[in-house]
Amino acid sequence: MMSRQAFLCSLGSLYLSLLLIFLLMDVYARPANNSALKEKPADSKDENEILPPDHLNGVKMEMDGHLNKEFHQEVFLGKEMEEFEEDSEPRKNRKKLMVIFSKVDINNDKKIGAKEMQRWIMEKTDEHFQEAVEENKMHFRAVDPDGDGHVSWDEYKIKFLASKGFDEKEIAEKIRNNEELKIDEETQEVLDNLKDRWYQADNPPPDLLLNEEEFLSFLHPEHSRGMLKFMVKEIIRDLDQDGDKKLTLSEFISLPVGTVENQQAQDIDDDWVKDRRKEFEEVIDANHDGIVTMEELEEYMDPMNEYNALNEAKQMIAVADENQNHHLELEEILKYSEYFTGSKLMDYARNVHEEF
């Protein structure tokens, strides 16, 4: 019979093994060069308010060059995306999806065509835009406490460093007196990147003062053509290995330096490369010459590009179009619900007939 001490040791070993398995399951392949902004986790609510997010809703690629894994759900669900949770009741999610289907199907012919899906994608993307505008109003007030309608770089710098744990009064005094700030190398790198972005968001005539609209461009470059160009330059800078300001397939799919230590991580890496390769060859490289230029990447990144929205609509239809009629019926969307909503609906065929 196993002693109590032996049992506890065995239980502890089992716990450590399960913990190790859980950690290994959370492995994600990342590009070799990453934006410094994403490396540092948010330390406080204030930092979340004033630090430009890496993730932009309705944009196909993150600021650091990662593909947006939730893009399809974002442009299909809009603000309703949060309502489709993994632990939600399937029957409720099914009803929500049926309501969305009826809204997309504007001609009421019980099927969704590419033009209908394109219109819907543009509408949901604009919805994300408006949400960003409303959030920006709140964020701008957080960095403009005196309410003069403008924020200087120094004011923003003080707020940012305070969110990192620095003493706000002390930092403000040192900046006023032009004294040296003792900042760690990582934080300084983030500040340098932010200052570049600040300069780009500062519309002519440049004064290093951002109003609310310019601050929106700073936080959400997808709202500004000039800032969109800047974001593209940053992405190419991070991924471009030979310095020609273009991207080859090998540069776009390059994995982090280092070896993969287990098969599960290798499988994740393989899926990552497969997704990147497909997006590069079929979508981003518009003229299929094996090279992605800044112009091609900019067109790809522009969330309000109608041609891209139509192309995306056709791709989304192709995923679930089982009868190959170039349209989506309700049954097809319900069956492929995980692709459109991130939520898998069980027994879709039986349940849809129950609804009718």
Side-chain angles (χ1 to χ4, degrees), residues 30-41 51-55 62-66 164 186 189-194 197 230-231 233-239:
R30 299 167 62 87
N33 298 309
N34 295 298
S35 165
L37 299 179
K38 194 165 187 175
E39 292 297 326
K40 192 78 170 180
L51 188 63
D54 279 318
H55 179 78
E62 313 285 13
M63 286 191 185
D64 61 1
H66 283 79
K164 288 287 187 178
E186 184 180 358
E189 183 181 353
V190 175
L191 267 176
D192 291 341
N193 288 336
L194 288 174
R197 192 186 299 275
F230 179 69
M231 183 165 64
K233 288 179 181 178
E234 283 192 314
I235 291 173
I236 288 187
R237 180 199 64 195
D238 286 347
L239 301 181

Side-chain angles (χ1 to χ4, degrees), residues 124-306:
K124 295 294 108 177
T125 301
D126 184 65
E127 198 172 274
H128 287 303
F129 275 21
Q130 297 309 316
E131 187 176 23
V133 170
E134 291 303 313
E135 289 178 354
N136 183 68
K137 293 180 185 297
M138 176 184 66
H139 299 164
F140 187 75
R141 286 195 295 270
V143 294
D144 180 31
D146 59 8
D148 67 353
H150 292 86
V151 178
S152 71
W153 167 249
D154 282 345
E155 285 176 325
Y156 177 83
K157 184 177 180 179
I158 291 168
K159 288 291 184 182
F160 171 75
L161 290 175
S163 76
K164 288 287 187 178
F166 291 86
D167 184 272
E168 185 169 345
K169 291 183 178 179
E170 181 181 340
I171 289 292
E173 184 176 353
K174 286 188 174 183
I175 288 178
R176 276 196 304 270
N177 298 329
N178 293 318
E179 296 179 29
E180 182 182 356
L181 301 177
K182 294 181 180 180
I183 301 174
D184 61 274
E185 185 177 343
E186 184 180 358
T187 302
Q188 186 60 54
E189 183 181 353
V190 175
L191 267 176
D192 291 341
N193 288 336
L194 288 174
K195 192 170 186 179
D196 286 343
R197 192 186 299 275
W198 191 274
Y199 273 64
Q200 292 296 320
D202 185 18
N203 293 328
D207 55 7
L208 285 187
L209 296 174
L210 299 192
N211 58 30
E212 187 174 310
E213 183 179 347
E214 291 168 332
F215 194 72
L216 175 64
S217 296
F218 173 70
L219 290 183
H220 290 274
E222 76 276 18
H223 283 260
S224 161
R225 175 57 67 175
M227 286 298 290
L228 194 62
K229 289 178 182 290
F230 179 69
M231 183 165 64
V232 166
K233 288 179 181 178
E234 283 192 314
I235 291 173
I236 288 187
R237 180 199 64 195
D238 286 347
L239 301 181
D240 178 23
Q241 296 173 8
D242 59 12
D244 65 353
K245 298 182 179 179
K246 300 176 183 177
L247 295 180
T248 62
L249 176 60
S250 61
E251 288 172 331
F252 192 70
I253 67 174
S254 62
L255 291 171
V257 177
T259 57
V260 178
E261 297 180 356
N262 61 79
Q263 185 58 48
Q264 189 171 33
Q266 182 63 60
D267 291 342
I268 292 173
D269 286 349
D270 291 344
D271 288 342
W272 189 86
V273 170
K274 182 180 177 181
D275 290 342
R276 304 276 292 191
R277 179 187 297 275
K278 182 177 181 181
E279 200 71 11
F280 183 98
E281 294 178 338
E282 297 182 10
V283 184
I284 309 178
D285 182 16
N287 62 1
H288 305 293
D289 64 352
I291 299 291
V292 165
T293 63
M294 285 190 177
E295 291 74 21
E296 285 177 319
L297 189 56
E298 185 182 333
E299 289 301 309
Y300 170 79
M301 292 289 290
D302 183 4
M304 295 307 290
N305 184 314
E306 293 188 5

